Amino acid sequence: MQSTHARKPLPRIPIQAAQPAARGRAAITTGAPRPFRRKSQDMTTDHKPSVLSRVNRVFLIVYYAVTLAALAWCIAQGESYRALQAAAALVLPAVPPALQRIFRLQPIPLFALLFNAFVFCAVTLASALRFYDLVPFYDKILHFFSGVLICAAGFAVYCMMRRRRGLDRSEVALACLFALCFAMASAVAWEIYEYVLSLFGPDPQMVALTGVTDTMLDMILCTIGALVTVFFVRRSLVRGAHGRLSRLTEPDLPGTKAPEEGER
């Protein structure tokens, strides 16, 4: 005897909403099992110092060797003023790491390398080893290339303060202006430094001979070097060389890797 009540069909469950989760599970299960590693271990094992960081380390070895030899020579010659310059050169490479810790900035090897190179040329070679007297026009050449180096460091500082990778095309003008002002302010700070030194010893600004001509010419040459750097960097950025600048200004931290070209 058949029942008079017809069975109702069971409601169908929509599977469209469950498809992404199923796909995700399939992607996980089909792949090879990955060994469990803590995040801290990945950061320490995957990190490799950048090329600029390794170049800076090698340069610091040469830097301290030459500076220590210059300090010993100045002490042996009884030149206390030049010995003080060499002693200051031994301390100055610690300035960038100190500023990065105080202001919590990401360390960028380009800035440290350019800073150490400028201090080596301006203090160790020029003042302690008398390159100002031995090499003709060394002072003017140094001030011109100081504008180039410090302006390039200004671009690194700009990217370091932004705390994110890459440089947008809309930021090119602001980055160039920041780097130019950074170089000009550094030139002013250097002249103040030389003025303070003149209160305790020789006259590095040659005020007795040239008045303010030597000081103004030094700052003008530094500004010209910075303008040349801004011109070439801006032209490179406008033509699409953002990836090169990003690689040069990439922070050197554990767990950070330079982004590939396709990621930019």
Side-chain angles (χ1 to χ4, degrees), residues 197-215:
L197 288 180
S198 65
L199 301 178
F200 300 95
D203 183 13
Q205 295 179 311
M206 295 187 293
V207 177
L209 297 175
T210 64
V212 297
T213 303
D214 183 74
T215 300

Side-chain angles (χ1 to χ4, degrees), residues 21-34:
R23 292 176 183 176
R25 288 193 297 270
I28 295 175
T29 55
T30 56
R34 298 181 178 179

Side-chain angles (χ1 to χ4, degrees), residues 2-235:
Q2 297 181 353
S3 174
T4 57
H5 299 283
R7 294 182 179 180
K8 296 182 179 181
L10 296 176
R12 295 183 178 181
I13 300 176
I15 61 174
Q16 294 181 356
Q19 286 180 355
R23 292 176 183 176
R25 288 193 297 270
I28 295 175
T29 55
T30 56
R34 298 181 178 179
F36 175 76
R37 292 187 301 177
R38 292 186 179 181
K39 186 176 181 181
S40 60
Q41 294 178 353
D42 291 339
M43 292 174 66
T44 55
T45 56
D46 295 341
H47 173 64
K48 292 183 179 180
S50 62
V51 176
L52 287 175
S53 180
R54 293 194 294 267
V55 170
N56 187 40
R57 292 177 183 176
V58 175
F59 176 75
L60 282 177
I61 296 175
V62 180
Y63 177 98
Y64 282 115
V66 176
T67 305
L68 286 172
L71 177 61
W73 181 81
C74 293
I75 295 175
Q77 296 293 325
E79 298 184 0
S80 58
Y81 174 75
R82 299 187 186 277
L84 180 63
Q85 294 280 336
L90 294 175
V91 181
L92 287 175
V95 172
L99 293 178
Q100 290 162 4
R101 290 194 176 187
I102 293 173
F103 297 102
R104 297 181 179 179
L105 300 174
Q106 296 178 348
I108 292 184
L110 175 64
F111 174 73
L113 178 60
L114 293 176
F115 180 86
N116 295 332
F118 175 73
V119 172
F120 181 73
C121 295
V123 181
T124 302
L125 297 181
S127 299
L129 296 179
R130 297 182 176 181
F131 271 46
Y132 282 141
D133 302 328
L134 300 176
V135 180
F137 303 106
Y138 183 84
D139 178 56
K140 305 310 174 190
I141 297 173
L142 178 63
H143 279 283
F144 174 80
F145 281 102
S146 69
V148 176
L149 294 177
I150 299 175
C151 184
F155 281 104
V157 172
Y158 178 83
C159 296
M160 180 169 54
M161 295 177 63
R162 290 173 66 255
R163 298 179 182 275
R164 59 189 179 91
R165 295 176 178 176
L167 188 65
D168 299 333
R169 187 178 296 271
S170 60
E171 297 180 276
V172 171
L174 180 59
C176 292
L177 179 62
F178 178 88
L180 177 62
C181 293
F182 186 83
M184 296 174 65
S186 301
V188 174
W190 181 262
E191 296 300 328
I192 295 175
Y193 163 75
E194 287 188 342
Y195 172 76
V196 173
L197 288 180
S198 65
L199 301 178
F200 300 95
D203 183 13
Q205 295 179 311
M206 295 187 293
V207 177
L209 297 175
T210 64
V212 297
T213 303
D214 183 74
T215 300
M216 294 305 300
L217 186 59
D218 291 345
M219 290 191 293
I220 291 173
L221 288 173
C222 180
T223 304
I224 293 175
L227 287 172
V228 172
T229 306
V230 166
F231 172 77
F232 284 105
V233 171
R234 181 185 180 278
R235 188 176 67 172

